[in-house]
Amino acid sequence: MSLESCVDVLVIGAGPAGLMCANALAMAGVDVRIIDQRPTKLTVGQADGIQSRTIEVWQSYGLAERLIHEGNQVHMSAFYGPNERGEVECTKRERLVTPLTACFPFIITLHQGAIESILLDSMSQHGVKVDQPVAPSAIEVSEDIEELASMSSYPVKITLERLDAVGDAIKTESVRAKFVIGGDGAHSWVRRALNITMDGENTDSIWGVIDVKPDTDLPDIRKLTKIQSAHGTCMVIPREDDIVRLYIQLSGGDLIDPSTGRVDKSRMNPEKLFEVARKIFQPFELRTSTGFEWWTLYTVGQRIASSYSVRERVFIAGDACHTHSPKAGQGMNASMNDSHNLAWKLSQVLRGWASPSLLKTYELERRQFAQDLIAFDKEYSALFCGNPRTVENQNGLSHENFFRASKKFGGFITGLDVQYAPSALVNVKHQGCASNLVIGQRMLPQIFVRAADALPVQIQDMLPADVRFKVLVFMGILTDTQIANVNSLAAQLRKPSSFLQKYAAHGDVSSVFDIITIVAGRKEEASFLDVPLLFRPHWSKGGGHGYETFGIDPAAITFVIVRPDGYVGMVAPSTALDDVDRYFSSFLIPRGL
């Protein structure tokens, strides 16, 4: 016997990518199911660093407060290298997050199990829980063109096996799905079942990782500290509850199983790893009296999936489509941002708002990001594998190499400068209207003053991940002439042919678009009643300064279109309404009255 069921979206794998996707879909009201072959959730180890941009993304889902409360904040980094006596000493300390546009100028460190628990609890509030232990055993994707084009069809068939079934219990289930997301890790079953290859290479570099509560006199143990010594390289990541993660460079020959070519974990143990770290720390002491919470070995593989989807009905995300070294703290961040990019697009398509062609932009945007990530990772990882500068080796690496790299790559490491290329979703035609807002990058943070009550409001807090496009209308200085222009614009936008009306069912503009009005002026003189009702759907929105920050002319009326994932999709003057309409018409479906 077997069960049969249907679901709009089946997510396979309950790691960071899968949970992030399932939670975002659940919050959007999508019929979603998530499965995992593990019998229980993760409790220790694995990934542990959340970068600045990812904290912003979590904030857009209302989850950052708990993440910040439970995690450890890392604000500073330190560099140690050998002195003339061959002992390591501190050569430089600096702020960890270098871009000045960070809303959260730090990283959060917290073990992956605790991070996943936040997502699990949020999902549970929306009626979704992980079904485990359940594993897929077969998948078929229809090749029928009409079936693939219809959003009422279920063109993906998956066979699931319940791994804990005993006796006469039903072990097999046949699921029909509109979409399937493979967030099932570097050894992805979904990717292999669909014959998607991973292109790239392995390096010879082998690293050990150990989580421990250390007893040490190293003064920078609670900073992100890189130590290069004659005994090797170690990176220190301070964590929650006084735990520290140590990444330890190993000389690898005797750790490789010659029959498989892979690292053989049985040839190492945490005590040996800790002894290597202890030598690297000299002359500083390194001991522990509490044992080791978690440890592992890994080689650095830098690979990208040849494709991120099959017929825009099955997608892969996270480690299933890109692998790289963990030393810049990108893995979990890249995975969750894959899901953040995909979830809103799936939600809009399933709601009937957007054409299925929108889904093609997932691979376009996130595969290019992964290629940039691999190129960065190759250069950054090489810094950890080189020999340190010493009296005898003046050509070796020093803190200056890391400092230059952090300046060069700071915006990429933090995720704050990630930029999507021009596409249906990224229109750069009128970039000059907001010279400091880079179209294709995330909306810059800025404090505005709310006109109704003079409350300071962070603009990013007004851009929740709620599947809606945010239409920011910068009205400039409200002179009598400008107010007349604004009223004329409002009349144009009330017409059935305008983009605001065309894509909103039954005239409910706020279901698809959230309009945020920003005027230039002093809070003592601002009155939100000067703004037409269309531009103030909620009394509390409006007011503030920031025109100079964004490079917007206060004498003009300017649209800034922010995508549901918080990235700037388009900027346009109010005189170019046709261009704004063409932007939305390239992927949204007119819904009429």
Side-chain angles (χ1 to χ4, degrees):
M1 286 182 62
S2 68
L3 293 171
E4 293 188 0
S5 62
C6 291
V7 69
D8 284 357
V9 182
L10 176 67
V11 179
I12 297 173
L19 289 174
M20 189 76 175
C21 194
N23 180 65
L25 292 170
M27 290 181 70
V30 171
D31 174 26
V32 60
R33 179 180 175 189
I34 179 169
I35 65 166
D36 195 274
Q37 65 181 3
R38 297 172 298 181
T40 58
K41 70 179 184 179
L42 196 68
T43 56
V44 294
Q46 304 298 327
D48 62 357
I50 303 290
Q51 298 284 355
S52 296
R53 172 57 189 160
T54 309
I55 304 172
E56 291 179 359
V57 169
W58 275 54
Q59 177 84 334
S60 73
Y61 290 100
L63 301 175
E65 185 176 352
R66 179 175 163 190
L67 179 71
I68 293 170
H69 175 73
E70 293 187 11
N72 173 68
Q73 294 183 26
V74 187
H75 290 259
M76 294 286 290
S77 62
F79 302 87
Y80 280 68
N83 58 24
E84 65 278 0
R85 298 186 302 278
E87 298 175 336
V88 297
E89 65 181 15
C90 184
T91 55
K92 189 174 183 64
R93 297 182 180 96
E94 64 173 350
R95 59 181 285 169
L96 180 58
V97 175
T98 54
L100 298 178
T101 63
C103 254
F104 302 96
F106 49 84
I107 67 171
I108 293 288
T109 54
L110 181 66
H111 77 80
Q112 184 175 318
I115 293 167
E116 291 178 358
S117 289
I118 299 173
L119 292 169
L120 287 165
D121 290 347
S122 177
M123 273 175 23
S124 179
Q125 291 174 6
H126 294 88
V128 177
K129 294 187 177 182
V130 179
D131 193 3
Q132 57 191 152
V134 176
S137 59
I139 185 169
E140 298 174 32
V141 186
S142 173
E143 298 182 6
D144 185 281
I145 295 174
E146 290 186 6
E147 187 177 14
L148 290 169
S150 170
M151 282 304 107
S152 62
S153 69
Y154 295 80
V156 189
K157 181 182 178 182
I158 315 97
T159 303
L160 302 180
E161 305 290 336
R162 183 158 290 283
L163 303 182
D164 59 353
V166 294
D168 295 330
I170 296 173
K171 295 182 175 66
T172 305
E173 180 181 0
S174 178
V175 179
R176 290 274 184 181
K178 292 182 178 180
F179 297 99
V180 170
I181 314 298
D184 50 343
H187 303 290
S188 170
W189 178 91
V190 174
R191 186 189 67 230
R192 287 183 279 113
L194 296 171
N195 297 314
I196 298 173
T197 60
M198 288 289 278
D199 303 328
E201 58 193 18
N202 258 359
T203 68
D204 296 329
S205 178
I206 301 176
W207 289 74
V209 188
I210 192 164
D211 290 347
V212 63
K213 286 188 177 181
D215 295 324
T216 180
D217 56 356
L218 184 79
D220 295 300
I221 194 69
R222 297 305 297 177
K223 299 181 181 72
L224 194 153
T225 300
K226 302 177 182 74
I227 305 174
Q228 287 190 301
S229 82
H231 298 287
T233 300
C234 179
M235 188 160 79
V236 179
I237 310 288
R239 283 258 308 275
E240 76 284 358
D241 299 328
D242 295 328
I243 294 169
V244 163
R245 170 164 292 184
L246 303 176
Y247 285 98
I248 304 156
Q249 183 185 25
L250 300 172
S251 54
D254 56 347
L255 298 175
I256 301 294
D257 184 337
S259 64
T260 63
R262 293 184 175 182
V263 171
D264 183 356
K265 198 174 176 182
S266 69
R267 302 181 183 213
M268 178 56 74
N269 60 51
E271 289 76 19
K272 288 181 182 178
L273 262 184
F274 197 68
E275 180 60 23
V276 176
R278 195 185 63 78
K279 290 179 180 177
I280 294 172
F281 269 56
Q282 292 173 351
F284 298 99
E285 295 287 335
L286 179 65
R287 301 177 300 276
T288 182
S289 57
T290 59
F292 309 105
E293 182 170 290
W294 180 79
W295 74 283
T296 193
L297 302 178
Y298 70 89
T299 55
V300 177
Q302 294 158 329
R303 292 188 170 87
I304 304 175
S306 56
S307 173
Y308 277 28
S309 78
V310 173
R311 303 183 192 106
E312 272 72 53
R313 288 293 192 156
V314 181
F315 299 88
I316 54 175
D319 288 353
C321 45
H322 44 71
T323 62
H324 40 84
S325 84
K327 285 182 287 301
Q330 292 300 299
M332 180 164 55
N333 293 273
S335 296
M336 292 193 292
N337 281 289
D338 284 347
S339 296
H340 179 56
N341 183 283
L342 177 60
W344 74 265
K345 298 172 182 177
L346 280 172
S347 299
Q348 288 218 352
V349 169
L350 285 165
R351 289 181 181 184
W353 294 3
S355 161
S357 65
L358 177 66
L359 300 174
K360 293 182 182 295
T361 64
Y362 167 63
E363 178 168 331
L364 176 75
E365 294 182 336
R366 295 307 296 175
R367 193 167 187 275
Q368 180 58 57
F369 165 80
Q371 290 172 330
D372 295 342
L373 173 58
I374 296 299
F376 150 76
D377 190 54
K378 287 181 178 179
E379 188 171 342
Y380 197 70
S381 294
L383 293 177
F384 289 88
C385 300
N387 293 318
R389 183 182 299 174
T390 61
V391 174
E392 296 81 15
N393 178 23
Q394 286 296 307
N395 293 322
L397 296 170
S398 74
H399 70 269
E400 294 165 359
N401 299 91
F402 285 98
F403 182 70
R404 284 195 295 269
S406 67
K407 290 295 184 187
K408 178 180 177 181
F409 296 117
F412 191 85
I413 293 171
T414 58
L416 298 174
D417 289 352
V418 168
Q419 184 173 355
Y420 295 136
S423 68
L425 282 174
V426 178
N427 185 319
V428 299
K429 179 178 179 180
H430 298 288
Q431 175 67 81
C433 289
S435 56
N436 298 333
L437 272 183
V438 181
I439 299 170
Q441 290 189 6
R442 112 275 197 213
M443 181 65 187
L444 290 176
Q446 175 69 31
I447 300 290
F448 289 93
V449 177
R450 205 161 60 180
D453 57 4
L455 179 74
V457 177
Q458 170 57 252
I459 188 65
Q460 287 202 352
D461 292 341
M462 299 175 74
L463 309 175
D466 60 6
V467 193
R468 297 185 297 171
F469 278 86
K470 313 303 184 295
V471 180
L472 277 55
V473 187
F474 287 81
M475 290 187 174
I477 301 170
L478 290 181
T479 62
D480 290 344
T481 301
Q482 192 77 327
I483 289 173
N485 293 336
V486 167
N487 284 320
S488 174
L489 177 62
Q492 287 180 272
L493 291 173
R494 289 193 192 99
K495 293 178 180 178
S497 58
S498 83
F499 74 90
L500 281 185
Q501 311 298 331
K502 190 187 303 183
Y503 304 106
H506 311 294
D508 184 8
V509 172
S510 65
S511 67
V512 180
F513 302 105
D514 190 13
I515 301 172
I516 300 168
T517 299
I518 301 166
V519 300
R522 293 170 54 81
K523 63 177 179 288
E524 293 85 358
E525 300 166 0
S527 170
F528 66 90
L529 296 178
D530 289 341
V531 176
L533 188 61
L534 176 72
F535 293 123
R536 48 181 173 89
H538 190 270
W539 67 268
S540 66
K541 292 184 179 173
H545 299 276
Y547 283 74
E548 185 178 346
T549 302
F550 296 151
I552 293 174
D553 183 359
I557 303 173
T558 306
F559 289 106
V560 175
I561 309 299
V562 181
R563 304 170 2 162
D565 56 2
Y567 286 79
V568 180
M570 184 184 190
V571 172
S574 62
T575 53
L577 280 182
D578 287 347
D579 288 339
V580 180
D581 183 57
R582 275 190 288 271
Y583 171 78
F584 284 114
S585 67
S586 66
F587 55 87
L588 290 186
I589 298 171
R591 302 176 74 198
L593 300 176

